Amino acid sequence: MNHLLFYCRPGFEKEVAAEIQDKAVALECFGFCRIKDNSGYVIFECYGAEDADKLARRLPFRELIFARQMLVVTHELQELDLADRITPILEATAGYSVCGELRVETPDTNEAKELTTFCRKFSVPLRQALRQAGKLTREETHRRPVLHLLFLANDKVLVGYSYTNNNSVFHMGIPRLKFPADAPSRSTLKLEEAFHVFVPQEQWDVRLTSGLNAVDLGACPGGWTYQLVRRGMMVTAVDNGPMAESLMETGQVKHVRDDGFRYRPAKKNTYWLVCDMVEKPARVTHLIASWFQDGLCQEAMFNLKLPMKRRYQEVEHNLDMLREWLSGLEGEFVIQAKQLYHDREEITVHVFDQRQLTRRLSGSIQ
Ligand SMILES: C[S@@+](CC[C@H](N)C(=O)[O-])C[C@H]1O[C@@H](n2cnc3c(N)ncnc32)[C@H](O)[C@@H]1O
């Protein structure tokens, strides 16, 4: 088999397919996607013999918007003998180089989730068998491929591998975050996940730290503001709705009852601009670009709510506009976009100026 497999949010298979077709062609790898609606995964069948492996190495996973995970599939095992599922898996992986990690997974659908307990239990004897067969090691795991088994039914599994420098580090491509009991809304997890995905943890003490100012547009009831406050920031929360009392009591939040599209800070001392307003994507994109054009913020994290149809095209159109607007400014702007696990019919976009950031990280800007 010469296939590339992508995990995604169920219902977004067409978006993954459109994105992969687009981006694989740019690397001169051709093929077609096999899609089953709401399955939570997409298979890209490559025409070229080595193309799946080439894409797994060269298609930057970080730049994929709708895919949660990317791996090469080498075998599809069907009608497994339930009394011995290990032998055929060992046979399928016989040609693999030694892996550093095993992930026994399912698509993120309700149906497949019924297999979760089985997967957890099965991974114990399988791991042992793979170690004995010399296919799995505890040494230098960060440099070795990850072995994936995607169970579609208890007797059907896709066998494949991903590269640690070009995959999601999370099981099933899903970061497990605990909902903080004192947060005012579940949306809080969207911003927390965005920080985990887009901001390297070793830079958190510079980019996500006390002493920074933030503006939250469309802040109520305060789930995003909560993430900024818990990191010690001073936050201007812009929204006509009510903010959670617990946040106001921290003394770190100024609530401004204003239109988020009109509000502008009096001083240029905002580090983070975050925005979760439910509005047309183009309007939000334009707003964020205008803050950078006016030098009003250093980094931005915002959500784009997606239309019902042609969602990949809509996203690309907005990102193209943003690139164009920012290209006229002084700086080296980085734009990252991802449909996060906690995002629903939306994606999260992150923007910053690499030059400014480098100066800040080197300590020349406080
Ligand atoms: C999805 S909610 C935000 C949830 C928030 N991020 C949280 O974590 O609790 C969208 C918010 O945007 C606000 N909103 C929508 N349009 C707005 C506008 N033009 N100006 C200010 N706020 C707006 C709404 O009042 C609503 O509170």
Side-chain angles (χ1 to χ4, degrees):
M1 276 171 106
N2 186 29
H3 300 166
L4 210 55
L5 172 65
F6 299 90
Y7 302 168
C8 66
R9 183 180 184 83
F12 283 81
E13 296 79 13
K14 287 194 183 72
E15 284 63 36
V16 173
E19 182 174 12
I20 300 314
Q21 292 279 6
D22 203 16
K23 295 182 176 171
V25 166
L27 289 171
E28 298 189 342
C29 293
F30 302 97
F32 65 95
C33 284
R34 266 202 286 146
I35 298 182
K36 200 169 127 207
D37 285 344
N38 296 308
S39 62
Y41 67 93
V42 171
I43 291 178
F44 182 67
E45 297 196 9
C46 305
Y47 297 134
E50 304 296 328
D51 281 357
D53 187 78
K54 178 175 157 190
L55 285 171
R57 292 171 190 270
R58 296 195 21 210
L59 187 63
F61 175 74
R62 286 176 67 83
E63 293 176 16
L64 296 182
I65 300 166
F66 288 99
R68 286 182 185 166
Q69 185 59 283
M70 171 172 71
L71 52 128
V72 177
V73 180
T74 58
H75 296 76
E76 179 173 344
L77 306 178
Q78 305 212 47
E79 295 178 19
L80 288 168
D81 175 0
L82 300 192
D84 178 18
R85 283 171 275 216
I86 291 183
T87 304
I89 292 172
L90 289 179
E91 284 167 5
T93 56
Y96 279 33
S97 49
V98 183
C99 293
E101 192 186 337
L102 166 69
R103 296 190 202 161
V104 183
E105 305 172 307
T106 69
D108 183 27
T109 59
N110 290 336
E111 195 188 6
K113 268 187 229 154
E114 287 173 18
L115 296 166
T116 306
T117 309
F118 155 72
C119 288
R120 206 174 39 243
K121 287 188 183 156
F122 180 64
S123 64
V124 178
L126 178 62
R127 191 170 284 118
Q128 210 169 11
L130 286 163
R131 286 215 172 104
Q132 271 168 10
K135 287 287 144 198
L136 191 64
T137 177
R138 289 194 181 89
E139 283 156 31
E140 300 199 307
T141 53
H142 61 286
R143 293 200 310 161
R144 298 180 187 277
V146 176
L147 171 57
H148 296 262
L149 294 172
L150 184 73
F151 272 90
L152 303 176
N154 62 3
D155 66 346
K156 184 174 175 183
V157 65
L158 299 174
V159 185
Y161 62 89
S162 65
Y163 289 107
T164 40
N165 61 354
N166 199 27
N167 68 359
S168 161
V169 296
F170 303 112
H171 179 82
M172 288 168 62
I174 299 175
R176 306 280 155 182
L177 299 176
K178 198 162 170 276
F179 176 66
D182 54 341
S185 70
R186 286 206 69 81
S187 295
T188 198
L189 292 178
K190 286 194 265 182
L191 190 59
E192 181 166 11
E193 183 181 353
F195 288 153
H196 280 276
V197 170
F198 293 129
V199 185
Q201 209 130 5
E202 64 275 13
Q203 296 177 3
W204 281 22
D205 59 356
V206 175
R207 300 167 77 178
L208 291 170
T209 190
S210 58
L212 297 179
N213 295 314
V215 171
D216 183 355
L217 301 177
C220 294
W224 285 30
T225 293
Y226 173 90
Q227 291 296 333
L228 302 162
V229 163
R230 78 191 290 202
R231 291 176 170 83
M233 295 183 219
M234 301 300 287
V235 185
T236 303
V238 183
D239 201 310
N240 278 313
M243 285 296 282
E245 221 15 74
S246 54
L247 282 173
M248 300 311 298
E249 282 165 6
T250 62
Q252 288 169 249
V253 182
K254 185 173 151 207
H255 183 185
V256 176
R257 292 178 193 278
D258 199 351
D259 181 347
F261 288 93
R262 231 185 38 201
Y263 171 81
R264 286 288 196 267
K267 289 191 202 156
K268 291 189 173 180
N269 63 355
T270 303
Y271 186 81
W272 278 103
L273 169 64
V274 303
C275 172
D276 189 23
M277 290 189 286
V278 183
E279 249 297 344
K280 287 202 175 65
R283 200 167 172 221
V284 173
T285 306
H286 186 255
L287 174 70
I288 303 296
S290 73
W291 275 62
F292 281 101
Q293 276 162 345
D294 296 343
L296 294 176
C297 64
Q298 301 289 321
E299 289 203 45
M301 203 75 89
F302 60 101
N303 269 15
L304 293 181
K305 315 290 170 185
L306 301 177
M308 297 296 285
K309 290 195 176 149
R310 295 180 59 80
R311 294 181 287 203
Y312 173 66
Q313 289 78 0
E314 176 72 24
V315 166
E316 277 301 292
H317 171 66
N318 280 283
L319 295 180
D320 282 346
M321 283 196 311
L322 187 57
R323 273 181 216 113
E324 198 179 313
W325 284 325
L326 296 179
S327 69
L329 306 182
E330 202 181 310
E332 198 182 303
F333 287 91
V334 176
I335 302 172
Q336 299 173 297
K338 198 111 199 142
Q339 186 180 39
L340 303 173
Y341 173 67
H342 294 93
D343 283 336
R344 291 172 181 272
E345 307 289 313
E346 60 199 335
I347 63 157
T348 302
V349 186
H350 175 218
V351 182
F352 64 97
D353 174 1
Q354 183 62 61
R355 266 187 234 159
Q356 283 274 359
L357 178 62
T358 305
R359 292 220 294 272
R360 182 170 288 272
L361 291 171
S362 71
S364 56
I365 306 178
Q366 295 303 316

